[in-house]
Amino acid sequence: PPCALSAPPPPGLCPGPRAHPGAMLAAHERALTQQESIEWVVGIAGAVVGLTAAGALADWGLRRFAERRLAGKPALGLLGGGLRVWALVLLLCSYGMLAPGLLMNLVQADVSFNIFGHEMPLTSLSEGMLALIGRMRRQGNYTGVVLVSAYAIAIPAVKLLLVLAGLWLQLLGGEGRLRWARRCLVAVRLISRWACPDMFAYILMTYLFRSLNKPPTLQSDLRLGPGFACFCVFCVGSTVSSLGLRLPEVPPKEGATADAPRAVPARWRCAGNAAVLALAVAFLALLAVGLAMPVMGLRFDLETLYEARPQLRALAPILDMLHLPELLRSEASVWECMAALARWLAEGDATCGIALVMYAVFAVALPVAHVATLVASVCSRRARGPALAAAAVIGKLCMLDVSIMGCFVVTMSLKTMRTQGVIVEMCSGVLYLLCAEICHYVAASVAMRSSSGFVARGKGLTKTKSNTDGTGINADGSSASSTV
C-alpha cells in the first residue's frame, strides 16, 4: 500500500491524512462549502435587496395615491413624508443581520506543514466577533477589547438609539424637539460607516493566509465565515438607510433673520480652487502608491512557536531544511488582495464577492469618485451645484479611512497571538493611505468653502438651517455652514 512507502513519522508527530485548503478545520468548526457559501450569500443579499425594493415600491404607491386622491392636502407618508419606507425596511433588515454577524464565525483559518506525508498543525483560528472579544478579555488584551467592542457593538447600539430618538422627537413636534431630532439623524449619518473597520482587515488576512499555501510542504487557508457576510450587509445597509432618513426642517425663531454668507474675494477663491486641484493630484498619487505597497504582514516567529509547542523543537533541523521560516512570511497590498478576491469569486467563493465589493467599491472607488466630484465643483460653474450635492452623498459612503482604522484594530486585537508565534503587523502602505485620506479630508473642506464663497458672491444667496438635508449643501448647491 502507498502508506508503506512513507517514512515513519518523527517523534511527537501524529500520523494523519494530508490536509488541503478549506478542509483543515475541526469537525465542529467546518468551513462552508462553495455551494453553501453561494446559497448563503445569495439568500442574504436577495432577501435584503428584495425587501428594500418592496419598500421603494410602497413609497412610489404612497406618492401616487397622494397625487391622485389627496390633491391640496398634506402628503401621505410616515412622519409626513419624512421617513421613506425603503429606508425603514433596509434599516430593519440591516439590524436583523447584526446578531448573526456578532454570533457566527467571522473567519476560519488553519496553517500546517507536511513531512513524509504526515501533517503537523502550526496554528488555527476560528471564532466570531463575541468569541474574539471574550478571548481577548481572558488573555488580558483590554486595548483590543475596547476597540472591537466600540466599533462592533457600541456604534451600532448608538446608531439605533439615535434613529429612534430622532423619529420619536419628530412625532412629538415642536421647534426645540425638531432641532434635536435633526441633530440625532445628522449624527447617525456621520458615524454610520464606522461600524465595520475590522471587516477590511479580515479581508486582507484572507489574502495573507491563502498566499502562505505552498503545497505539499505548507498548507494554509482562511475562509470568511457567514458572520462576515452578515456583518458586512449590516454595515452597508445601515449606512445607506441613514441617507434615506430625511432631516426635519426647523422653522426659524421669531424675529430671527438668516445671516447672509460673507463673500470670498476672487483671489482667495482662485487660491482655494488651485488648492483643491493640487490636493486631488496628491490624493491620487498617494492612493496609487498606498494601494500597491503592502499594508499588512503575517509572519511566524519559530522560536516563540517552539516555546509554545515544545514537541516542534525536535523537528527544527527538518523545518530549516524545508526553508519553513522563509515560507511562513506573507505581505498583502490592496491591489493584490482585490485581484485575488476577483479570482476566488470566479472560482465560486461567493463570500469573496462581498469582500471585493467592500474594498473595491467602498474603500477605493467611492473615495476616488468623491474627489472627482469635488474637482468638478471648483472647475465648472454649471456643474457646481449637482457636483456638490453628489459629493455630499458619496462622502457619507466612503470607507477608505474606515479600512485604515481596521488594520490598526485587528493588529491590536490579534496581539495576543504573538505568544503562539503568529505575528500580524501593519506595513508602510498604511502610511501612504493615511496621507491620501488627509488630502481627501482637506480637499473636501476647501472645496465646500470655495464653492460657498463663489455662490454667495455671485448670486447673493443666503444660508439657513431649513434648506439643507443634512448634507451640508443648499438646494442651489452652495455650502451650508450653519451648525445643526
Side-chain angles (χ1 to χ4, degrees), residues 402-420:
V402 179
S403 68
I404 297 171
M405 178 58 70
C407 294
F408 175 74
V409 171
V410 169
T411 300
M412 295 301 297
S413 64
L414 297 181
K415 185 172 62 174
T416 53
M417 294 188 67
R418 292 175 179 262
T419 58
Q420 304 175 20

Side-chain angles (χ1 to χ4, degrees), residues 169-190:
L169 290 172
Q170 288 186 68
L171 286 173
L172 295 179
E175 179 183 338
R177 296 189 183 95
L178 290 178
R179 184 171 284 104
W180 277 104
R182 184 184 183 88
R183 291 169 178 167
C184 290
L185 297 181
V186 168
V188 169
R189 293 182 177 185
L190 293 176

Side-chain angles (χ1 to χ4, degrees), residues 232-316:
C232 286
V233 170
F234 158 74
C235 293
V236 174
S238 60
T239 301
V240 174
S241 66
S242 68
L243 299 177
L245 301 175
R246 291 177 179 173
L247 304 184
E249 294 187 357
V250 180
K253 297 180 180 180
E254 295 183 3
T257 58
D259 297 331
R262 185 174 56 183
V264 178
R267 62 180 181 275
W268 293 112
R269 189 176 66 250
C270 293
N273 294 347
V276 171
L277 296 177
L279 289 167
V281 172
F283 165 79
L284 294 176
L286 291 168
L287 179 65
V289 174
L291 295 179
M293 294 186 66
V295 292
M296 283 191 72
L298 171 67
R299 59 187 178 90
F300 285 73
D301 185 353
L302 291 185
E303 286 299 324
T304 306
L305 189 62
Y306 293 154
E307 294 177 3
R309 306 185 63 177
Q311 70 271 21
L312 291 177
R313 189 174 291 277
L315 304 176

Side-chain angles (χ1 to χ4, degrees), residues 331-379:
E331 292 182 340
S333 70
V334 177
W335 281 127
E336 293 173 337
C337 183
M338 292 191 297
L341 289 172
R343 184 173 67 253
W344 296 328
L345 174 61
E347 294 173 356
D349 193 338
T351 311
C352 288
I354 294 180
L356 181 61
V357 170
M358 291 293 292
Y359 236 120
V361 176
F362 290 95
V364 178
L366 285 180
V368 173
H370 189 229
V371 172
T373 56
L374 295 175
V375 171
S377 70
V378 300
C379 291

Side-chain angles (χ1 to χ4, degrees), residues 51-277:
L51 291 173
T52 304
L57 186 62
D59 282 325
W60 177 82
L62 288 173
R63 288 195 302 269
R64 296 284 293 178
F65 181 82
E67 292 173 358
R68 293 184 178 182
R69 301 293 181 87
L70 301 176
K73 297 181 180 180
L76 183 65
L78 298 176
L79 294 177
L83 178 61
R84 300 176 178 94
V85 177
W86 71 262
L88 178 61
V89 172
L90 181 57
L91 182 67
L92 294 176
C93 291
S94 300
Y95 272 88
M97 295 292 103
L98 179 58
L102 293 174
L103 296 173
M104 301 183 73
N105 273 356
L106 288 173
V107 292
Q108 299 174 332
D110 203 348
V111 181
S112 64
F113 65 93
N114 189 283
I115 301 179
F116 306 123
H118 300 280
E119 177 200 350
M120 187 67 177
L122 285 177
T123 189
S124 62
L125 175 67
S126 181
E127 57 191 1
M129 189 73 73
L130 295 183
L132 172 64
I133 295 173
R135 178 176 61 82
M136 290 188 296
R137 181 183 59 81
R138 291 191 299 272
Q139 295 177 346
N141 184 6
Y142 295 108
T143 302
V145 170
V146 171
L147 289 173
V148 176
S149 300
Y151 287 109
I153 299 177
I155 287 182
V158 171
K159 282 164 51 177
L160 183 60
L161 291 176
L162 288 174
V163 169
L164 294 177
L167 298 180
W168 177 250
L169 290 172
Q170 288 186 68
L171 286 173
L172 295 179
E175 179 183 338
R177 296 189 183 95
L178 290 178
R179 184 171 284 104
W180 277 104
R182 184 184 183 88
R183 291 169 178 167
C184 290
L185 297 181
V186 168
V188 169
R189 293 182 177 185
L190 293 176
I191 69 172
S192 187
R193 61 198 175 96
W194 283 97
C196 61
D198 43 350
M199 297 298 106
F200 291 97
Y202 284 126
I203 295 171
L204 294 173
M205 287 181 59
T206 302
Y207 177 83
L208 289 173
F209 273 85
R210 292 190 182 188
S211 63
L212 288 178
N213 190 50
K214 300 175 180 69
T217 304
L218 184 64
Q219 293 90 36
S220 177
D221 189 41
L222 186 146
R223 299 282 170 175
L224 296 170
F228 172 86
C230 292
F231 205 85
C232 286
V233 170
F234 158 74
C235 293
V236 174
S238 60
T239 301
V240 174
S241 66
S242 68
L243 299 177
L245 301 175
R246 291 177 179 173
L247 304 184
E249 294 187 357
V250 180
K253 297 180 180 180
E254 295 183 3
T257 58
D259 297 331
R262 185 174 56 183
V264 178
R267 62 180 181 275
W268 293 112
R269 189 176 66 250
C270 293
N273 294 347
V276 171
L277 296 177

